[in-house]
Amino acid sequence: MLKNILSFVFVLLFVSGFTQELDTFTDSRDGYSYKTVRFKLDDDGSGIDRQRIWFAENLRYNADDSHCYRDLDPYCEKFGRLYTYSSALESCPEGWRVPTATDWIELFALYGGIHKAGNIIKEDGESMLNLQYAGFTRPDGHF
């Protein structure tokens, strides 16, 4: 079973090893192409396919209730859009979904656990993910 996971900027689980492959995904709704990283996890003896694909960029799909940081279009181009949770769920391309807490725990485990992973998966970190922290907007509209 292959799970596609759309990463938005969000214990220890032991995984013996993994490999990573870069690829791209093009969103047919607006033509944007995104870098993706496929993780192939070592067989844990369960017989279950242990692959995960994560976006390595923030989504830029212009949906209702989404915004560019500070409402400036250049921020959307560089960092992707900011979504409410419900808007994020509705904005996922077909076949993709917002990661669950379990997905994040599994990802963190690949990179040494919750206390080490943040520096590794962030932009200019050691992973292929290079996740950009894109800011947030508060309910009162302040960024």
Side-chain angles (χ1 to χ4, degrees):
M1 172 161 100
L2 179 66
K3 290 185 179 179
N4 295 326
I5 303 170
L6 179 66
S7 63
F8 288 88
V9 176
F10 290 43
V11 194
L12 295 176
L13 171 69
F14 179 74
V15 178
S16 59
F18 68 99
T19 58
Q20 302 174 152
E21 296 175 2
L22 288 174
D23 203 355
T24 58
F25 167 81
T26 301
D27 191 337
S28 62
R29 301 170 299 174
D30 58 15
Y32 275 112
S33 290
Y34 300 93
K35 294 176 193 170
T36 61
V37 177
R38 177 189 307 264
F39 295 95
K40 293 182 180 180
L41 309 175
D42 284 352
D43 184 11
D44 64 358
S46 67
I48 297 172
D49 186 355
R50 306 254 306 141
Q51 294 188 77
R52 302 291 185 271
I53 303 173
W54 285 73
F55 267 36
E57 297 181 63
N58 292 328
L59 190 66
R60 294 181 195 91
Y61 182 69
N62 189 356
D64 291 338
D65 219 9
S66 70
H67 303 275
C68 299
Y69 183 71
R70 297 190 179 199
D71 290 324
L72 298 172
D73 289 341
Y75 284 115
C76 276
E77 196 58 38
K78 181 173 180 171
F79 297 109
R81 298 187 69 84
L82 301 172
Y83 300 88
T84 63
Y85 183 71
S86 61
S87 181
L89 293 174
E90 295 170 9
S91 296
C92 292
E94 186 174 334
W96 294 82
R97 62 178 174 78
V98 173
T100 65
T102 301
D103 295 324
W104 283 107
I105 290 167
E106 183 178 72
L107 180 69
F108 294 159
L110 294 175
Y111 292 108
I114 197 166
H115 297 291
K116 293 181 182 179
N119 286 328
I120 296 171
I121 66 174
K122 72 177 183 178
E123 185 177 20
D124 298 325
E126 299 168 23
S127 76
M128 291 182 187
L129 280 171
N130 288 311
L131 299 180
Q132 291 183 322
Y133 303 139
F136 63 93
T137 182
R138 297 188 312 218
D140 65 5
H142 287 89
F143 295 93

